[in-house]
């Protein structure tokens, strides 16, 4: 399976995960394909978790700066 492209988005990764899951649920998949699909799914899940962590950190900084602004105004 190919590496994640540099411009991969969270939405694209989730859509690919959903596609992988549907294929595994509806098709007879051989062991080699199952292994490759499981590895791809793991890579996509890692990518999504990292994107979520990054978004959380960014939002924390934004809200912290808003709190700092509120304290300066007081």
């Amino acid at each position: 399976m190919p590496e994640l492209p540099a411009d991969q988005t969270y939405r694209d990764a989730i859509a690919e995960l959903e596609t992988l899951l549907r294929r595994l649920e509806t098709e007879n998949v051989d062991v080699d394909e199952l292994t490759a699909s499981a590895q791809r799914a793991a890579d996509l899940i890692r990518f999504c978790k990292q994107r979520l962590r990054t978004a959380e950190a960014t939002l924390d900084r934004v809200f912290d700066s808003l709190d700092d602004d509120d304290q300066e105004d007081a």
Side-chain angles (χ1 to χ4, degrees):
M1 297 246 164
E3 294 291 320
L4 295 175
D7 62 346
Q8 176 84 40
T9 66
Y10 180 86
R11 185 180 302 221
D12 291 341
I14 292 295
E16 186 175 347
L17 277 167
E18 290 171 347
T19 299
L20 280 170
L21 180 59
R22 274 193 303 276
R23 192 171 80 234
L24 292 172
E25 289 176 338
T26 60
E27 297 177 15
N28 286 333
V29 178
D30 68 29
V31 171
D32 294 327
E33 186 179 353
L34 176 62
T35 302
S37 294
Q39 182 58 55
R40 181 62 176 177
D43 292 342
L44 290 164
I45 290 167
R46 278 189 211 95
F47 171 82
C48 289
K49 286 174 69 173
Q50 182 57 44
R51 282 291 173 106
L52 288 171
R53 284 187 199 110
T54 300
E56 180 181 32
T58 300
L59 290 171
D60 286 345
R61 283 193 302 274
V62 167
F63 290 124
D64 286 347
S65 73
L66 290 174
D67 289 342
D68 292 344
D69 290 346
D70 288 345
Q71 290 176 2
E72 288 174 9
D73 292 339

